[in-house]
């Protein structure tokens, strides 16, 4: 399917209450256009359940189900079994946040993956618990400010690195796992189409910027996702029946600093922390992009000593 062939069925309609520029809303809207009307959706506690279902402005035009935070995997299994029993060909699709996937729903996702249930699990990764006020999750990157990893004398943002959820999911030996971003629409379409047709447990991991949580300009959502990929903070790949394939390889690695500067949540980071994060990203970059026997591809020199945050940046994002 090409971009211009993307059906414009309004299965997730305008009039929902997501913030302008919300990466979660954009990802849902585009995914459901490809999945089509024979889809039934489960959304656990998250921004998406609030902005998509607030009475009387419900935006979903496909069957929608919601119970609790921790059980996306189990609910999808139940939905799929019920449709099967009724002889209906419906795709059971879950849209869960990173909090609901990396942390609180990990066990039920794992159960469904291990049983290879015929469902599509989509993680909308905005790198914190946004709906309840920006608390840190297992998906929050190193250095990021959140309300539970504050910035002050005692702490300088999140001190842990983003959990490697991809490897955890893939370790279940499922048919399909892929990472996606709305900044790479053709790659996005191809992966959703593929996940739609495969049988068994499929997992799509979507990178979804959050405007207030990342303290960023709402007009820059797509730009940020592109820079995330060019800097190595997000990697586009898929694992099909155990075979890993990079689906987009950036030409030259951009400095992580460039990505950080677009977002107020990293504004406070000092040189040492940027260097720590850059080293982590380089390691990840080399693990992903290095061909067997090829030289290491991350050739970025470690940042020189100078202020991490410019006055211009401070003006843009406030104190
Ligand atoms: C068991 C349980 N704990 C806590 C909550 C409160 N809660 C509702 S939404 C939410 C945050 C969801 O974060 P995430 O899954 O990352 O989705 P996002 O809001 O970022 O889209 C929390 C903590 C809850 N509903 N249930
Ligand atoms: S808080 Fe973030 S994830 Fe929630 S609706 Fe706004 S931009 Fe989207």
């Amino acid at each position: 399917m090409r971009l211009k062939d993307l059906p414009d069925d309004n299965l997730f309609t305008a009039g929902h209450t997501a913030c302008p520029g919300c990466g979660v809303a954009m990802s849902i809207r585009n995914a459901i256009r490809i999945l089509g009307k024979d889809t039934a959706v489960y959304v656990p506690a998250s921004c998406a359940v609030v902005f998509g279902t607030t009475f009387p402005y419900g935006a979903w035009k496909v069957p929608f189900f919601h119970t609790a935070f921790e059980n996306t995997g189990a609910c999808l299994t139940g939905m799929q079994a019920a449709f099967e029993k009724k002889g209906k060909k419906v795709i059971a699709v879950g849209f869960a946040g990173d909090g609901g996937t990396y942390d609180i729903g990990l066990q039920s996702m794992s159960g469904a993956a291990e049983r290879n249930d015929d469902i599509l699990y989509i993680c909308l990764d905005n790198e914190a618990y946004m709906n309840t006020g920006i608390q840190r999750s297992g998906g929050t990157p190193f250095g990021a400010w959140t309300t539970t990893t504050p910035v002050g004398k005692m702490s300088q943002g999140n001190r842990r690195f983003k959990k490697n959820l991809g490897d955890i999911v893939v370790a279940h030996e499922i048919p399909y796992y892929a990472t996606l971003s709305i900044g790479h629409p053709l790659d996005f379409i191809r992966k959703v189409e593929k996940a739609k047709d495969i049988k068994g447990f499929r997992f799509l991991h979507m990178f979804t910027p959050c405007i207030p949580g990342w303290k960023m300009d709402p007009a820059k959502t797509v730009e940020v996702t592109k820079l995330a990929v060019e800097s190595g903070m997000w990697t586009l790949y898929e694992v099909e029946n155990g075979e890993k394939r990079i689906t987009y390889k950036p030409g030259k690695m951009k400095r992580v600093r460039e990505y950080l500067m677009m977002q107020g949540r990293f504004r406070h980071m000092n040189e040492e922390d940027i260097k720590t994060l850059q080293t982590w990203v380089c390691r990840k970059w080399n693990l992903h992009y290095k061909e067997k026997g090829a030289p290491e591809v991350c050739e970025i020199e470690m940042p020189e000593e100078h202020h991490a945050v410019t006055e211009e940046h401070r003006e843009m994002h406030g104190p």
Side-chain angles (χ1 to χ4, degrees):
M1 193 186 288
R2 292 167 302 174
L3 258 186
K4 67 179 179 63
D5 302 328
L6 209 56
D8 205 24
D9 293 353
N10 274 339
L11 299 175
F12 185 72
T13 61
H16 58 73
T17 53
C19 313
C22 171
V24 169
M26 287 186 205
S27 301
I28 289 177
R29 165 103 175 99
N30 285 315
I32 201 76
R33 285 167 81 182
I34 303 160
L35 293 169
K37 62 177 177 30
D38 293 328
T39 299
V41 165
Y42 179 80
V43 182
S46 60
C47 264
V49 88
V50 176
F51 70 62
T53 65
T54 318
F55 183 81
Y57 304 111
W60 294 94
K61 298 294 173 212
V62 291
F64 179 93
F65 190 44
H66 164 77
T67 61
F69 200 179
E70 59 275 27
N71 52 13
T72 305
C75 285
L76 290 176
T77 299
M79 284 162 63
Q80 186 258 337
F83 286 124
E84 219 165 84
K85 185 99 180 149
K86 284 178 168 278
K88 291 194 170 178
K89 276 195 89 56
V90 176
I91 315 168
V93 181
F95 288 96
D98 49 290
T101 306
Y102 282 72
D103 307 334
I104 196 161
L106 190 69
Q107 36 64 30
S108 77
M109 184 280 292
S110 173
E114 172 264 318
R115 294 186 300 270
N116 195 25
D117 289 333
D118 189 21
I119 60 177
L120 172 54
Y121 193 112
I122 298 181
C123 174
L124 302 161
D125 191 350
N126 57 18
E127 304 194 318
Y129 293 74
M130 296 306 179
N131 178 48
T132 36
I134 320 170
Q135 294 89 20
R136 177 205 179 274
S137 81
T140 304
F142 177 85
W145 162 90
T146 69
T147 50
T148 48
T149 54
V151 175
K153 279 202 184 112
M154 305 289 284
S155 104
Q156 284 292 302
N158 182 35
R159 308 316 292 169
R160 305 199 67 83
F161 295 94
K162 191 176 175 80
K163 191 194 274 189
N164 185 350
L165 182 73
D167 278 6
I168 295 172
V169 177
V170 167
H172 291 78
E173 298 180 8
I174 56 167
Y176 192 59
Y177 167 88
T179 58
L180 296 79
S181 112
I182 38 167
H184 298 78
L186 292 176
D187 186 74
F188 185 102
I189 293 171
R190 198 185 59 77
K191 286 169 176 168
V192 178
E193 276 189 310
K194 200 168 195 177
K196 184 180 174 183
D197 293 337
I198 290 174
K199 245 192 115 47
F201 188 91
R202 298 90 82 198
F203 191 108
L204 296 178
H205 195 170
M206 300 184 175
F207 187 74
T208 53
C210 167
I211 307 305
W214 294 17
K215 295 178 184 282
M216 56 172 269
D217 180 342
K220 297 280 168 71
T221 308
V222 169
E223 205 178 307
V224 163
T225 63
K226 284 188 171 159
L227 205 44
V229 175
E230 299 298 324
S231 66
M233 285 292 277
W234 189 249
T235 314
L236 291 170
Y237 69 102
E238 63 188 3
V239 183
E240 200 173 349
N241 297 318
E243 286 293 316
K244 180 179 166 186
R245 199 170 72 85
I246 294 289
T247 58
Y248 171 81
K249 186 172 177 174
K252 192 174 184 313
M253 189 187 199
K254 292 216 162 130
R255 284 176 188 273
V256 77
R257 178 192 303 276
E258 232 182 281
Y259 172 73
L260 303 179
M261 294 299 262
M262 288 186 78
Q263 302 161 59
R265 65 177 170 155
F266 298 116
R267 188 194 63 224
H268 57 276
M269 280 176 77
N270 61 25
E271 283 305 318
E272 202 187 327
D273 280 356
I274 294 180
K275 195 169 164 178
T276 304
L277 181 61
Q278 182 68 73
T279 308
W280 180 86
V281 174
C282 277
R283 189 180 157 273
K284 186 161 83 78
W285 175 283
N286 288 341
L287 282 172
H288 276 297
Y289 297 128
K290 200 170 84 169
E291 309 281 299
K292 266 205 178 99
E296 300 221 327
V297 288
C298 171
E299 286 157 4
I300 276 191
E301 284 170 32
M302 284 307 139
E304 290 154 24
E305 285 300 311
H306 61 261
H307 291 296
V309 180
T310 60
E311 277 312 312
E312 186 194 1
H313 184 77
R314 233 182 265 283
E315 259 170 44
M316 246 172 72
H317 296 290

